[in-house]
Amino acid sequence: SIYRLDSTGILTRLSSQQSRPNGLAFSPDERTLFVSNSGWPEDALLMAYPVLDDLSLGEGRLFFDTSPLIGDKYNGTPDGLKLDQSGNIYTTGPGGILILNSQGQHLGTIKTEEVAANLGWGDDGSTLYITANTSLYKIKTHAIGLNFRNN
């Protein structure tokens, strides 16, 4: 399930629509919550939920299905999830890090030699760090991570 913990400590279940929700990230305007689902193989997908005025979630919609990218053996499912300042979504998935635009079109994949688990922006905001089974990858991008602040 997807839960919200408010500032007073009250925990509210917002959705139980997914089998294995994992990575969470808001759109740049914070009106959409993207959620990766780590089910394999049939539930390897990303969902998009509208954030309502009362901070609950509306009905989720399929944003991107990664199952057609899964090979004959396990090669990753959506797990870690981040956005860049242009609203592009970066998620772990089959083959490495999938990059999707804000309409859910697959722009490309950053291939990793092993299954990627998570990712995060660092340094000046344009360096993408990727954790995998036994490695930490570092790649310089032209993008800047959403909400990245260089202090």
Side-chain angles (χ1 to χ4, degrees), residues 112-134:
T112 55
E113 295 295 318
E114 56 190 315
V115 173
N118 209 340
L119 64 155
W121 297 104
D123 300 332
D124 65 353
S126 66
T127 303
L128 193 61
Y129 287 90
I130 303 165
T131 59
N133 289 342
T134 63

Side-chain angles (χ1 to χ4, degrees), residues 92-104:
T92 62
I97 304 299
L98 307 179
I99 304 170
L100 313 169
N101 69 13
S102 60
Q103 289 77 45

